[in-house]
């Protein structure tokens, strides 16, 4: 769950770092050592029938590449598929693209969308590279320009698997699913009407809803949410209103069902009216931009990102007479809420005790997932001194290291697969004299399907310790 869209504790920091300008450590050294186990140097990679050269940028592990074929959003009766279909049902007439190939160019994933050359989302700590110019898409927006260029419909929807290096916990998995949508109006087909007028008419035709909407900022703010120079304010006001109403309707569709299913099993749910709020945001490919948050179980949940499509993107895609809106939503997060699924790893389970609980023909369509077992967790700590990246070998006060947390996360996944529930930093300090940094992580081992033996857990933990020394050059404490 993911997407910029996951605002819980520090994951907000990881995910939105992807879009907003912020600092990220790029750590080539660690990556190169990690690569030595994940893919062997310069041997081509095959993803389904496609072959790719590899190079010093390659960091996509075999384990991830082999899951490319799973395409959970297309599996019959899978909760991700059901969630996709619920959202699709809100956009009649939109053309759907559900089988776009996940290996894309860095141009598609970043440049076509206006990501700056030094954007942190491009770093090898955040993104899986097949080679220098080729990545596993990190978001469905990677296909926007191509789908606009095909110019087959005013509205389109793209659902797909997306890939990001990230934390290990119950709401993060390196592969997840997003849905992208866009609606544009072509100024050549307005028959003399103004764009604003046409958009307001189309808005009138959308279903009405009665949710409480908090939207306290002006549509356009000169610094925080600027009007694009190619656009007229009255058009953007209309497009933004259409976008917001369309998305409020999506939220009603999802959260009314979620409320219904939790009511059926929980007695103490009070029936408060659904409440949403619009928050100003930044994406390189929209302006103005927003995130939509929903008040759900006593907290504000960030649900999606959206905005008015950058005209430059449409111009470059050969459709300069079009303008309109786009949004992107993470499907796992929504499915977890809809079906009350507690751990993102469950989506990948092939266990019939999981899969048999969902059906596209069930009545009601959405019901609460019943955990089939809760196997015991076992946590173990790991503490280590970071290797310093300075030539002096780490003895200089204040030196930094080339350690990046995502590399550690990946190493744990590499060794333990899905048997780790979460990995958390529990302590970090710098030695007062040498400046060397020490880290302590807690790894929580738990299988979703069986009880792990002590031997097994100890063995895995020992392998993590060894790998950490070998691949990341740390000194265990
Ligand atoms: N691509 C963004 C993400 O991964 C989501 C997004 C935001 C998509 C704004 C959009 C958009 O189309 O307009 O978080």
């Amino acid at each position: 769950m993911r997407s910029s869209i996951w605002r819980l504790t520090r994951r907000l920091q990881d995910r939105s770092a992807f879009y907003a300008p912020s600092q990220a450590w790029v750590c080539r050294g660690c990556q190169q050592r990690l690569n030595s186990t994940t893919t062997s140097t310069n041997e081509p990679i095959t993803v389904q029938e496609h072959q790719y050269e590899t190079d010093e940028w390659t960091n996509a592990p075999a384990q991830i590449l082999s899951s490319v074929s799973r395409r959970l959003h297309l599996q019959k009766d899978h909760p991700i598929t059901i969630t996709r279909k619920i959202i699709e049902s809100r956009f009649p007439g939109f053309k759907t693209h559900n089988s776009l190939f996940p290996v894309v160019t860095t141009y598609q994933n970043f440049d076509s969308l206006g990501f700056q050359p030094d954007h942190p989302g491009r770093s090898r700590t955040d993104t899986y590279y097949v080679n220098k110019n080729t990545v596993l898409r990190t978001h469905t927006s990677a296909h926007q320009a191509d789908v606009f260029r095909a110019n087959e419909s005013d509205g389109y929807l793209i659902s797909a698997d997306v890939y990001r290096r990230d934390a290990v916990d119950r709401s993060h998995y390196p592969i997840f699913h997003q849905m992208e949508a866009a609606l544009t109006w072509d100024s050549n087909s307005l028959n003399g009407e103004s764009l604003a007028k046409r958009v307001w008419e189309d808005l009138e035709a959308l279903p009405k809803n009665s949710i409480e909407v908090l939207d306290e900022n002006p549509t356009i703010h000169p610094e925080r949410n600027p009007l694009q120079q190619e656009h007229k304010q009255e058009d953007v006001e209309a497009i933004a209103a259409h976008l917001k109403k369309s998305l409020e309707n999506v939220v009603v569709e999802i959260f009314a069902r979620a409320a219904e299913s939790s009511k059926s099993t929980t007695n103490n749910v009070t029936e408060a009216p659904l409440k949403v709020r619009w928050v100003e945001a930044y994406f390189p490919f929209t302006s103005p931009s927003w995130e939509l948050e929903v008040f759900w179980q006593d907290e504000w949940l960030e649900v999606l990102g959206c905005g008015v499509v950058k005209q430059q993107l449409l111009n470059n895609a050969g459709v300069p007479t079009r303008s309109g809106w786009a949004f992107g939503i993470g499907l796992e997060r929504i499915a977890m809420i809809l079906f009350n699924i507690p751990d993102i790893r469950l989506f990948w389970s092939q266990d019939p005790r999981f899969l048999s609980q969902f059906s596209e023909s069930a009545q009601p369509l959405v019901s609460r997932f019943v955990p089939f077992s809760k196997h015991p967790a076992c946590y173990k700590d790991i503490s280590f001194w970071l290797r310093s990246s300075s030539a002096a070998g780490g003895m200089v006060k204040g030196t930094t290291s080339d350690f990046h947390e995502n590399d550690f996360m990946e190493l744990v996944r590499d060794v333990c697969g899905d048997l780790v529930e979460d990995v958390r930093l529990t302590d970090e300090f710098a030695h007062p004299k040498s400046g060397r940094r020490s880290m302590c992580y807690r790894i929580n081992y738990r299988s979703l399907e069986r009880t792990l033996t002590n031997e097994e857990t100890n063995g895995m933990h020992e392998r993590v310790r060894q790998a950490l020394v070998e691949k990341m050059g740390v000194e265990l404490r």
Side-chain angles (χ1 to χ4, degrees):
M1 254 115 343
R2 285 99 163 298
S3 64
S4 65
I5 300 168
W6 209 212
R7 181 177 297 209
L8 290 178
T9 59
R10 65 187 180 152
R11 67 188 55 108
L12 172 64
Q13 167 207 321
D14 319 333
R15 290 305 180 195
S16 49
F18 194 76
Y19 307 97
S22 73
Q23 281 303 317
W25 272 329
V26 180
C27 116
R28 291 279 155 87
C30 291
Q31 277 293 339
Q32 270 148 18
R33 280 186 296 278
L34 281 168
N35 288 348
S36 62
T37 57
T38 50
T39 38
S40 53
T41 337
N42 295 337
E43 267 187 36
I45 283 181
T46 305
V47 186
Q48 307 206 292
E49 295 82 55
H50 305 254
Q51 242 201 27
Y52 301 91
E53 295 304 312
T54 56
D55 57 26
E56 72 283 4
W57 281 76
T58 309
N59 66 352
Q63 216 179 324
I64 298 287
L65 293 167
S66 66
S67 301
V68 157
S69 58
R70 291 284 299 276
R71 308 205 299 177
L72 301 182
H73 64 293
L74 296 178
Q75 276 182 38
K76 189 167 181 312
D77 295 330
H78 195 281
I80 296 293
T81 299
I82 297 175
T83 305
R84 164 176 70 79
K85 290 189 171 179
I86 289 174
I87 302 173
E88 281 175 353
S89 74
R90 274 289 166 181
F91 296 98
F94 280 47
K95 186 173 166 68
T96 53
H97 301 265
N98 292 337
S99 304
L100 298 174
F101 198 60
V103 180
V104 299
T105 60
T106 49
Y107 182 83
Q108 289 171 297
N109 200 79
F110 299 116
D111 304 87
S112 72
L113 295 158
F115 281 76
Q116 292 302 306
D118 61 349
H119 193 284
R122 295 182 188 252
S123 80
R124 295 167 75 246
T125 56
D126 288 24
T127 294
Y128 290 113
Y129 278 82
V130 171
N131 58 42
K132 185 174 192 303
N133 299 314
T134 318
V135 295
L136 289 171
R137 69 183 154 224
T138 63
H139 54 172
T140 43
S141 306
H143 300 290
Q144 271 198 15
D146 295 335
V147 178
F148 281 129
R149 185 171 295 104
N151 200 13
E152 294 168 331
S153 59
D154 292 339
Y156 66 75
L157 294 161
I158 301 167
S159 298
D161 36 333
V162 301
Y163 300 77
R164 289 187 202 167
R165 302 182 84 233
D166 209 334
V168 175
D169 63 38
R170 286 197 283 174
S171 57
H172 284 90
Y173 201 79
I175 314 178
F176 57 105
H177 297 78
Q178 282 186 335
M179 192 157 176
E180 188 88 8
L183 177 63
T184 56
W185 287 263
D186 188 340
S187 62
N188 287 337
S189 44
L190 295 173
N191 304 325
E193 232 180 347
S194 77
L195 174 60
K197 183 157 182 289
R198 170 64 62 85
V199 176
W200 284 114
E201 280 165 13
D202 288 350
L203 188 154
E204 276 309 307
L206 293 175
K208 307 276 179 276
N209 68 63
S210 57
I211 56 173
E212 188 182 333
V213 180
L214 306 173
D215 189 6
E216 59 186 21
N217 292 303
T219 306
I220 291 157
H221 183 282
E223 284 99 42
R224 300 194 309 259
N225 234 350
L227 181 71
Q228 299 173 46
Q229 62 181 26
E230 298 90 337
H231 288 166
K232 285 202 283 196
Q233 172 144 2
E234 64 186 57
D235 294 340
V236 170
E237 291 286 354
I239 291 170
H242 192 284
L243 167 64
K244 287 177 176 177
K245 182 63 72 193
S246 306
L247 288 173
E248 288 156 16
N249 284 338
V250 169
V251 162
V252 170
E253 185 73 40
I254 294 167
F255 285 82
R257 287 176 193 268
E260 199 52 40
S261 81
S262 53
K263 216 169 49 190
S264 63
T265 45
T266 329
N267 299 327
N268 59 353
V269 179
T270 47
E271 240 182 285
L274 197 54
K275 201 160 56 173
V276 301
R277 72 178 179 199
W278 288 99
V279 178
E280 292 174 335
Y282 170 80
F283 303 102
F285 39 97
T286 50
S287 191
S289 312
W290 299 275
E291 281 162 357
L292 178 57
E293 298 184 349
V294 178
F295 197 69
W296 181 251
Q297 292 176 348
D298 294 330
E299 56 175 347
W300 285 102
L301 290 183
E302 189 185 332
V303 171
L304 55 83
C306 65
V308 176
V309 181
K310 284 268 177 88
Q311 202 56 44
Q312 196 60 48
L313 197 166
L314 294 160
N315 297 350
N316 293 344
V319 287
T321 56
R322 288 192 171 274
S323 37
W325 55 248
F327 76 81
I329 188 166
L331 293 178
E332 272 78 356
R333 162 156 238 205
I334 299 298
M336 286 173 89
I337 293 169
L338 266 174
F339 297 97
N340 200 38
I341 294 173
D343 189 312
I344 195 166
R345 291 175 294 165
L346 279 162
F347 291 114
W348 296 88
S349 170
Q350 315 253 29
D351 191 321
R353 291 174 298 175
F354 175 74
L355 292 172
S356 66
Q357 294 197 30
F358 313 97
S359 161
E360 291 172 45
S361 50
Q363 276 307 333
L365 185 55
V366 171
S367 58
R368 278 166 84 85
F369 166 67
V370 183
F372 42 84
S373 53
K374 179 94 177 161
H375 298 283
C378 169
Y379 68 78
K380 293 189 181 292
D381 291 340
I382 186 163
S383 309
F384 49 90
W385 292 108
L386 296 185
R387 205 177 50 115
S388 164
S389 57
S390 80
M395 291 304 141
V396 180
K397 196 167 184 167
T399 52
T400 58
S401 127
D402 59 1
F403 175 83
H404 192 291
E405 186 166 282
N406 282 352
D407 293 336
F408 177 57
M409 298 288 172
E410 182 123 318
L411 182 146
V412 174
R413 283 195 194 280
D414 209 36
V415 174
C416 312
D418 282 359
L419 298 178
V420 170
E421 181 170 281
D422 63 46
V423 179
R424 248 173 310 150
L425 182 66
T426 49
D427 189 30
E428 179 181 11
F429 67 90
H431 189 280
K433 291 224 174 83
S434 66
R436 249 178 131 193
R437 274 167 66 218
S438 159
M439 321 286 282
C440 180
Y441 283 92
R442 176 158 292 181
I443 303 179
N444 205 19
Y445 295 91
R446 190 204 304 265
S447 163
L448 291 167
E449 281 151 12
R450 61 198 172 81
T451 299
L452 298 173
T453 63
N454 274 342
E455 244 181 343
E456 209 175 352
T457 315
N458 290 339
M460 265 189 294
H461 195 65
E462 192 45 44
R463 288 198 297 282
V464 169
R465 287 166 58 86
Q466 281 168 15
L468 195 58
V469 173
E470 282 163 24
K471 310 221 170 79
M472 298 182 78
V474 308
E475 187 188 322
L476 296 174
R477 302 185 57 209

